[in-house]
Amino acid sequence: MKKDSPKKKRRGCLGLCVSIVVVLLLVAATLLTVSHGTPQTEGLNKRLTILTYNTHRMGMYAKADKNRVIRYLQRQDADIVFLQEVEVYKDDHYLTLPELRQAMRQYPYSYYDFKIYNKRRQYGIVVYSKYPLIHKQTIRYTSRGNISNFCDAIVGEDTIRLFNNHLESNRLVVQDLPDEIETESVKSSAQHVAEKLQSARAIRKEQTRIVRQTIQQSPYPVIVAGDFNAIPLSRAYLTIRNWQLRDCFLSGSKGRLGWTLSKHGLGARIDYILCSRIFRPAEFRVEKVNYSDHYPCLTTLYY
């Protein structure tokens, strides 16, 4: 009987190893993308409703009375709201900051933090709260449009530190795809996309390091929300969560698909609500409303 050559055996072992790695990655991706938690809230009588939403330039800066994002936020009436890509203009033809403040007057406390601030427009992130906000602080990055911040919410006798994040985007657009199915065109597009992804990952790596460090310095329980621009298997997600925080989607619902971005027919989970383990997430949902290129995420935290 003819024996297999050492080279053939090595190829077989390599193929088996690759198969095992692929299976493990698929299992991990499933565990981090499909919710599987059963909320345990018995005996917990305090609760907060939390919403996070990348608004895609505040519903493309439509006036308040016609702005579907604003109307949606008003209907939800969450206790604490984290918004990203909030854009307002000085020009009265578009949504202005006074109009946005007036439309969101149901929230007596807010933290507007703009990364882009010029004579024409302001662009950044916002926290709305029904509870007093103190100790507001910006986490600034060198990237043009990205920013994080934190502030402390005084909820009765409790203090909770809130982190709002809009991390570096991959900035992929339809034009990055090949014009035609030819070897050179596909190769050139693939190289271009790879360079974009690598650049964005490097920037997010530093941003997430700073966020993680700031979370660790918090003397209070934390709620960390926003658009990470990274999937659950990414270094950015794993660094910020660090397995010390609960992923509210995973533990706050069961058997749901968590895609929060729907763009060019592709879906991904890149928006998150994380929290300290003192909180028990429940009733988590991703609302498939088409007012932005992202979907809003809502949950109720019991503690």
Side-chain angles (χ1 to χ4, degrees), residues 57-91:
R57 302 171 70 185
M58 209 62 204
M60 296 304 290
Y61 42 82
K63 294 299 251 185
D65 59 340
K66 298 178 181 179
N67 194 302
R68 296 187 299 171
V69 168
I70 292 176
R71 289 182 177 180
Y72 172 81
L73 296 172
Q74 291 170 336
R75 290 195 305 270
Q76 296 307 313
D77 196 33
D79 293 321
I80 297 173
V81 177
F82 300 86
L83 300 182
Q84 304 85 42
E85 287 197 28
V86 174
E87 185 166 88
V88 291
Y89 278 72
K90 304 291 181 67
D91 188 334

Coordinates of all heavy atoms in Angstrom, one line a residue, residues 57-91:
R57 N -26.4 62.9 9.6 CA -26.4 64.3 9.4 C -27.8 64.9 9.8 O -28.4 65.7 9.2 CB -26.1 64.7 8.0 CG -24.7 64.3 7.6 CD -24.4 64.5 6.1 NE -24.2 65.9 5.8 CZ -24.1 66.4 4.6 NH1 -24.0 65.5 3.6 NH2 -23.9 67.7 4.4
M58 N -28.3 64.3 10.9 CA -29.6 64.6 11.5 C -30.7 64.6 10.4 O -31.5 65.6 10.2 CB -29.5 66.0 12.1 CG -30.5 66.3 13.3 SD -30.1 65.1 14.6 CE -31.7 65.1 15.4
G59 N -30.9 63.4 9.8 CA -31.9 63.2 8.8 C -31.7 64.1 7.6 O -32.6 64.6 7.0
M60 N -30.4 64.3 7.2 CA -30.0 65.2 6.1 C -30.5 66.6 6.3 O -31.1 67.3 5.4 CB -30.5 64.6 4.8 CG -29.9 63.3 4.4 SD -28.0 63.3 4.4 CE -27.7 64.3 3.0
Y61 N -30.4 67.1 7.6 CA -30.6 68.5 8.0 C -32.0 69.0 7.6 O -32.1 70.2 7.3 CB -29.5 69.4 7.6 CG -28.9 69.2 6.2 CD1 -29.6 69.7 5.1 CD2 -27.8 68.4 6.0 CE1 -29.1 69.5 3.8 CE2 -27.3 68.2 4.8 CZ -27.9 68.8 3.7 OH -27.4 68.6 2.4
A62 N -33.0 68.2 7.6 CA -34.4 68.7 7.3 C -34.9 69.5 8.4 O -34.5 69.3 9.6 CB -35.3 67.5 7.0
K63 N -35.7 70.5 8.1 CA -36.3 71.3 9.2 C -37.1 70.5 10.2 O -37.6 69.4 9.9 CB -37.2 72.4 8.6 CG -36.5 73.4 7.7 CD -35.5 74.2 8.4 CE -36.0 75.6 8.6 NZ -34.9 76.4 9.3
A64 N -37.1 71.0 11.4 CA -37.6 70.2 12.6 C -39.0 69.7 12.3 O -39.3 68.5 12.7 CB -37.6 71.1 13.8
D65 N -39.9 70.5 11.7 CA -41.3 70.0 11.5 C -41.5 68.9 10.5 O -42.5 68.2 10.5 CB -42.2 71.2 11.2 CG -41.8 71.9 9.9 OD1 -40.6 71.7 9.5 OD2 -42.6 72.6 9.3
K66 N -40.4 68.7 9.7 CA -40.5 67.7 8.6 C -39.4 66.6 8.8 O -39.2 65.7 8.0 CB -40.3 68.3 7.2 CG -41.5 69.2 6.9 CD -41.2 69.8 5.5 CE -42.4 70.8 5.1 NZ -42.1 71.4 3.8
N67 N -38.6 66.8 9.9 CA -37.5 65.9 10.2 C -37.9 64.6 10.8 O -38.3 64.6 11.9 CB -36.5 66.6 11.0 CG -35.1 66.0 11.1 OD1 -35.0 64.8 11.4 ND2 -34.1 66.7 10.7
R68 N -37.8 63.5 10.0 CA -38.2 62.2 10.5 C -37.4 61.7 11.7 O -37.9 61.0 12.6 CB -38.2 61.2 9.4 CG -39.2 61.5 8.2 CD -39.3 60.4 7.2 NE -38.0 60.2 6.6 CZ -37.8 59.1 5.8 NH1 -38.7 58.3 5.5 NH2 -36.6 59.0 5.3
V69 N -36.1 62.0 11.7 CA -35.3 61.6 12.9 C -35.8 62.3 14.2 O -36.0 61.6 15.2 CB -33.8 62.0 12.6 CG1 -33.0 61.8 13.9 CG2 -33.3 61.1 11.5
I70 N -36.0 63.6 14.1 CA -36.5 64.3 15.3 C -37.9 63.7 15.7 O -38.1 63.5 16.9 CB -36.6 65.8 15.0 CG1 -35.2 66.4 14.9 CG2 -37.3 66.5 16.1 CD1 -35.2 67.8 14.5
R71 N -38.8 63.5 14.8 CA -40.1 63.0 15.2 C -40.0 61.6 15.8 O -40.7 61.3 16.8 CB -41.0 62.9 13.9 CG -41.4 64.3 13.4 CD -42.3 64.1 12.2 NE -42.8 65.4 11.7 CZ -43.6 65.5 10.6 NH1 -44.0 64.4 10.0 NH2 -44.0 66.6 10.2
Y72 N -39.1 60.8 15.3 CA -38.8 59.5 15.9 C -38.4 59.6 17.3 O -38.9 58.9 18.2 CB -37.8 58.7 15.0 CG -37.4 57.4 15.6 CD1 -38.2 56.3 15.6 CD2 -36.2 57.3 16.3 CE1 -37.8 55.1 16.2 CE2 -35.8 56.2 16.9 CZ -36.6 55.0 16.8 OH -36.2 53.9 17.5
L73 N -37.4 60.4 17.5 CA -36.8 60.6 18.9 C -37.9 61.1 19.9 O -38.0 60.7 21.0 CB -35.7 61.6 18.9 CG -34.4 61.2 18.1 CD1 -33.4 62.3 18.0 CD2 -33.8 59.9 18.7
Q74 N -38.7 62.0 19.4 CA -39.8 62.5 20.2 C -40.8 61.4 20.6 O -41.2 61.4 21.8 CB -40.6 63.7 19.5 CG -39.7 64.9 19.3 CD -40.4 65.9 18.4 OE1 -41.2 65.5 17.5 NE2 -40.1 67.2 18.5
R75 N -41.1 60.5 19.7 CA -42.0 59.4 20.0 C -41.4 58.4 21.0 O -42.1 57.9 21.8 CB -42.4 58.7 18.7 CG -43.3 59.5 17.7 CD -43.9 58.6 16.7 NE -42.9 57.8 15.9 CZ -42.3 58.2 14.8 NH1 -42.5 59.4 14.3 NH2 -41.4 57.4 14.2
Q76 N -40.2 58.1 20.8 CA -39.5 57.1 21.7 C -39.4 57.6 23.1 O -39.6 56.8 24.1 CB -38.2 56.8 21.2 CG -38.2 56.1 19.8 CD -39.1 54.9 19.8 OE1 -39.1 54.1 20.7 NE2 -39.9 54.8 18.7
D77 N -39.1 58.9 23.3 CA -39.1 59.5 24.7 C -38.2 58.7 25.7 O -38.6 58.4 26.8 CB -40.5 59.6 25.2 CG -40.6 60.5 26.4 OD1 -39.9 61.5 26.5 OD2 -41.4 60.3 27.3
A78 N -37.0 58.3 25.2 CA -36.1 57.5 26.0 C -35.6 58.4 27.2 O -35.6 59.6 27.0 CB -35.0 57.0 25.2
D79 N -35.1 57.8 28.2 CA -34.5 58.6 29.3 C -33.2 59.2 28.9 O -32.9 60.4 29.3 CB -34.3 57.7 30.6 CG -35.6 57.2 31.1 OD1 -36.5 57.9 31.2 OD2 -35.6 56.0 31.6
I80 N -32.3 58.5 28.2 CA -31.0 59.0 27.8 C -30.9 58.7 26.3 O -31.1 57.5 25.9 CB -29.9 58.4 28.6 CG1 -30.0 58.9 30.1 CG2 -28.5 58.9 28.1 CD1 -29.0 58.2 31.0
V81 N -30.5 59.7 25.5 CA -30.3 59.5 24.1 C -28.9 59.9 23.7 O -28.4 60.9 24.0 CB -31.3 60.4 23.3 CG1 -31.1 60.3 21.8 CG2 -32.8 60.0 23.7
F82 N -28.3 59.0 22.9 CA -26.9 59.2 22.4 C -27.1 59.4 20.8 O -27.6 58.5 20.2 CB -26.0 58.0 22.6 CG -25.7 57.7 24.1 CD1 -26.6 56.9 24.8 CD2 -24.6 58.2 24.7 CE1 -26.3 56.6 26.1 CE2 -24.4 57.9 26.0 CZ -25.2 57.1 26.7
L83 N -26.7 60.5 20.3 CA -26.8 60.7 18.9 C -25.4 61.0 18.3 O -24.5 61.6 18.9 CB -27.7 61.9 18.6 CG -29.1 61.9 19.0 CD1 -29.8 63.1 18.6 CD2 -29.8 60.6 18.5
Q84 N -25.2 60.5 17.1 CA -24.0 60.7 16.3 C -24.3 61.3 14.9 O -25.5 61.2 14.5 CB -23.2 59.4 16.1 CG -22.8 58.7 17.4 CD -23.9 57.8 17.8 OE1 -24.5 57.1 17.0 NE2 -24.2 57.7 19.1
E85 N -23.4 62.0 14.3 CA -23.6 62.6 13.0 C -24.7 63.6 13.1 O -25.6 63.7 12.3 CB -23.8 61.7 11.9 CG -22.6 60.9 11.5 CD -22.7 60.3 10.1 OE1 -23.4 60.8 9.3 OE2 -22.0 59.2 9.9
V86 N -24.7 64.5 14.1 CA -25.7 65.5 14.3 C -25.1 66.8 13.5 O -24.0 67.2 13.8 CB -25.9 65.9 15.8 CG1 -26.8 67.1 15.9 CG2 -26.5 64.7 16.5
E87 N -25.9 67.3 12.6 CA -25.5 68.4 11.8 C -26.5 69.5 11.8 O -27.7 69.2 11.5 CB -25.2 67.9 10.4 CG -24.6 69.0 9.5 CD -24.0 68.5 8.2 OE1 -24.8 68.4 7.2 OE2 -22.8 68.2 8.2
V88 N -26.1 70.7 12.1 CA -27.0 71.8 12.1 C -26.3 73.0 11.3 O -25.1 73.0 11.2 CB -27.4 72.3 13.5 CG1 -28.3 71.3 14.2 CG2 -26.2 72.6 14.3
Y89 N -27.1 73.9 10.8 CA -26.6 75.0 9.9 C -26.9 76.3 10.5 O -27.9 76.5 11.3 CB -27.2 74.8 8.5 CG -26.5 73.8 7.7 CD1 -26.6 72.4 7.9 CD2 -25.6 74.2 6.6 CE1 -25.9 71.5 7.2 CE2 -24.9 73.2 5.9 CZ -25.1 71.9 6.1 OH -24.4 71.0 5.4
K90 N -26.2 77.3 10.0 CA -26.5 78.7 10.3 C -27.5 79.2 9.3 O -28.3 80.2 9.6 CB -25.2 79.6 10.2 CG -24.1 79.1 11.1 CD -24.4 79.3 12.6 CE -23.2 78.8 13.5 NZ -22.0 79.6 13.3
D91 N -27.6 78.6 8.2 CA -28.6 79.0 7.1 C -30.0 78.6 7.5 O -30.2 77.4 7.8 CB -28.1 78.4 5.8 CG -29.0 78.9 4.6 OD1 -30.1 79.3 4.8 OD2 -28.4 78.8 3.5

